[in-house]
Amino acid sequence: MDIRALGYIAIGAVDVGAWSSFGGQVLGMMTDTTESGVLLLRADERPYRLRIRPAAEDRLDAAGWEVAGSAALEQAAQELEKAGVGVHRDPARARERRVTDLVAFDAPDGTRHELFWGAELDHVPFISPVGTSGFVTGPLGLGHVVLATDALDEARRFYVDVMGFRLSDTMTLGGTRVVFLHCNGRHHSLALGEGRGPALSHFMVEVNSVDDVGYALDRAVDHGVRIRQSLGRHTNDGMLSFYAATPSGFSVEYGWGGRVIDDATWVPTETSRGSYWGHRRPPRPAETARQGS
Ligand code: FE
């Protein structure tokens, strides 16, 4: 299977209004709302990169993965069926996602994925409502998603052997294993961590400059957004980033300076530290109170 990039993330959210101000005023993306109340967050010249639908509970609806064209999509569907994974073809869903064609399936870990090709470009210039200079997308795709799974080894086999992701590196932090996978030059577009799954742990978006990260951190603080991890620099992908809580509970990593790797020279390693510096977890309010008393 020849997946080229993470194309989009579709989310079901209880509070789409909160997402609208979070997406626009904190993340710095352009916001648009459809007639059916779906929030579209734009980061480049595609109509959206994050699609947020009103829902009764907060959830990852799907990660959308881009393939090179119709033949690649057909081949991917056949490979999924050969692996015993049922695929759903849904022209209405493709129109809704503003792509030419897509197939949806549930991975063995329970995560819903969509494979698509032919994304619509509407060429509206990206002008951030808060002055973010721009997001790093293009051939590197939107960013990355990190999924929690109860069965890491089984999930890893599926994403590598069936979906064709390539191993970037592995990490064990506090006894929890994480596997980092790539499908283009971005160090990882997908990571799998041991935990109660299926669940989206966080997604990452990358901006053009270190100042874009700093301004976003200020905006998050000013808007009362909970910072889950302070500014820091990751070891494996070199990303300088912070983590904030989204209105749906999972985190967003907001970063700059991610490593671009070349399969011709890259070798996977075992990373023993997640960050060179930073990425500290602020104490929870209750802990703060206890410490203060
Ligand atoms: Fe990350």
Side-chain angles (χ1 to χ4, degrees):
M1 196 178 303
D2 186 11
I3 290 172
R4 296 292 171 90
L6 176 63
Y8 57 79
I9 300 171
I11 290 162
V14 173
D15 193 346
V16 175
W19 264 103
S20 181
S21 62
F22 182 79
Q25 298 303 307
V26 179
L27 300 182
M29 294 180 176
M30 292 166 77
T31 61
D32 191 14
T33 306
T34 70
E35 282 167 17
S36 45
V38 173
L39 172 69
L40 302 178
L41 295 180
R42 169 193 294 270
D44 54 17
E45 62 188 306
R46 295 192 183 190
Y48 71 94
R49 288 288 192 167
L50 295 171
R51 182 185 195 279
I52 295 133
R53 156 190 79 91
E57 56 174 9
D58 291 300
R59 49 166 291 159
L60 171 67
D61 278 344
W65 301 98
E66 189 159 21
V67 299
S70 158
L73 189 66
E74 286 312 312
Q75 170 151 3
Q78 284 173 20
E79 286 170 9
L80 286 164
E81 281 170 337
K82 212 161 68 186
V85 176
V87 302
H88 312 277
R89 290 166 186 278
D90 188 344
R93 172 71 51 89
R95 280 194 295 278
E96 194 181 270
R97 301 291 198 243
R98 301 173 76 163
V99 298
T100 302
D101 198 7
L102 72 70
V103 297
F105 64 95
D106 293 315
D109 66 1
T111 306
R112 165 62 59 103
H113 296 281
E114 293 169 359
L115 299 173
F116 72 92
W117 74 275
E120 177 187 324
L121 303 181
D122 62 11
H123 303 293
V124 172
F126 176 77
I127 301 171
S128 167
V130 290
T132 303
S133 74
F135 290 84
V136 179
T137 57
L140 300 180
L142 168 61
H144 67 233
V145 286
V146 178
L147 305 173
T149 172
D150 308 297
L152 181 68
D153 295 317
E154 189 193 346
R156 172 180 173 165
R157 273 196 296 278
F158 176 78
Y159 287 107
V160 172
D161 296 347
V162 180
M163 286 183 76
F165 284 94
R166 302 178 291 281
L167 182 65
S168 306
D169 43 44
T170 54
M171 199 184 282
T172 303
L173 291 176
T176 301
R177 293 182 297 154
V178 190
V179 174
F180 296 85
L181 303 169
H182 63 277
C183 59
N184 55 46
R186 190 183 285 291
H187 174 276
H188 59 283
S189 293
L190 173 66
L192 309 167
E194 287 176 312
R196 191 143 48 96
L200 176 64
S201 300
H202 74 261
F203 67 92
M204 185 281 295
V205 293
E206 183 177 6
V207 281
N208 281 342
S209 81
V210 69
D211 291 318
D212 286 330
V213 177
Y215 284 121
L217 181 54
D218 280 355
R219 293 193 303 270
V221 170
D222 292 347
H223 281 80
V225 170
R226 175 171 294 193
I227 304 302
R228 291 247 170 86
Q229 291 186 48
S230 65
L231 195 65
R233 174 78 86 161
H234 278 307
T235 50
N236 63 346
D237 69 350
M239 189 74 72
L240 188 147
S241 60
F242 69 93
Y243 291 69
T246 70
S248 288
F250 48 77
S251 297
V252 58
E253 178 183 4
Y254 200 94
W256 165 80
R259 176 169 290 147
V260 175
I261 64 174
D262 178 359
D263 273 312
T265 52
W266 184 255
V267 289
T269 50
E270 165 73 20
T271 303
S272 59
R273 259 180 92 178
S275 307
Y276 289 108
W277 54 266
H279 290 145
R280 300 291 167 88
R281 294 169 195 272
R284 282 198 283 258
E287 293 166 344
T288 311
R290 257 202 318 277
Q291 282 162 9
S293 64

